[in-house]
Amino acid sequence: MKSIGVVGAGQMGAGIAQVMALAGYQVVLTEIDGAALKRGLGAIEQSMDRLIKKGTIDDAAKQQGLLKISTSTSLQALDQADLVIEAVPEILDLKTKVHREIESVVREDAIIATNTSSISVTKLAAATSRPERFIGVHFFHPVPMMGLVEVIRGLQTSDDTSEKAYALVRSIEKSLVISADTPGFIVNRLLVPMINEAIFALSGCVADVVTIDTAMRLGANHPMGPLTLADFVGLDTVLSAQTVLHQQLGESKYRPAPMLVKLVEAGWLGRKAGIGFYDYSGAEAVPNSRLPLHASRNS
């Protein structure tokens, strides 16, 4: 493979485009809105600058990577891509619509991949006319920093498509795990319910936001607490994944926490909205004062 298309220039799409470009692939990044494309490119440049400060890449690698990325507001620009990765929001109808539009412009031998974190790859593949060339590749946020990619075969996915997807993941120096096509796959099947249970603990006044996060960081050796992580991922994304688990597995233990639903309804989606379980409006994040037990009793 030489040319990779990425549909969606949000956090995930921009991150995927960045790692592909730094690995030497020609990347076509598409978005329906020119302003969104500009923001995506800005995010890529800022991310590369952070990598330079950490000594991960140098300025020459940054410049070469940026030159590898072209942008377009038209999916027609994907007509020569070897593989196209869809990275639009976790909405079944939206993804299905985008996949049909992608397959109308790409080559017959091109592979279409979805960056879904929870939706059935088999179901998404069935909505296309080339399900054997469809596969799931689940990257994690932030893509340049996270070392894992889950690859998910649909029932219809061919061995050739799978092997090419595995090779692509290895070529960008990510670790590969292969998951069955089941709700939440591996990571979110375990991670999202933990976040959801932390929200139940908060709403049940077990402890405040900071205490819950501190307990899991120090008691379970997690790099960040579950409520901080929820804000980082985006509360809408967490709710979407938890809802899929609840609907598809049908067990009450997967019911989304009412507080999570309310925060999403309020538009308090975490870091990207400036407020979630924490308030990010100041120089440092502080607990959202409108939530119960916001002030740490242990401070």
Side-chain angles (χ1 to χ4, degrees), residues 4 10 21 36 67 73 75 81 88 96-97 111 158 168 174 190 205 247 288:
I4 306 296
L67 288 173
T73 55
L75 293 181
V88 303
T96 298
K97 176 178 180 290
I111 294 171
S158 70
L168 176 68
K174 299 290 187 186
L190 303 174
C205 297
Q247 291 175 343
N288 183 345

Side-chain angles (χ1 to χ4, degrees), residues 224-239:
M224 65 177 72
L227 301 175
T228 298
L229 179 58
D231 276 0
F232 188 73
V233 171
L235 302 191
D236 52 340
T237 301
V238 174
L239 177 57

Side-chain angles (χ1 to χ4, degrees), residues 179-190:
S179 172
D181 188 16
T182 186
F185 313 131
I186 301 169
V187 174
N188 281 346
R189 176 72 172 264
L190 303 174

Side-chain angles (χ1 to χ4, degrees), residues 112-157:
I112 300 175
T114 177
N115 184 51
T116 183
S117 61
S118 56
I119 299 174
S120 167
V121 173
T122 297
K123 188 170 186 177
L124 291 171
T128 74
S129 63
R130 55 178 85 179
E132 72 284 353
R133 302 194 68 76
F134 191 96
I135 197 164
V137 286
H138 179 209
F139 290 81
F140 293 84
H141 176 64
V143 179
M145 302 302 296
M146 300 298 282
L148 183 71
V149 178
E150 289 179 316
V151 178
I152 308 96
R153 292 182 60 154
L155 286 179
Q156 319 93 316
T157 306

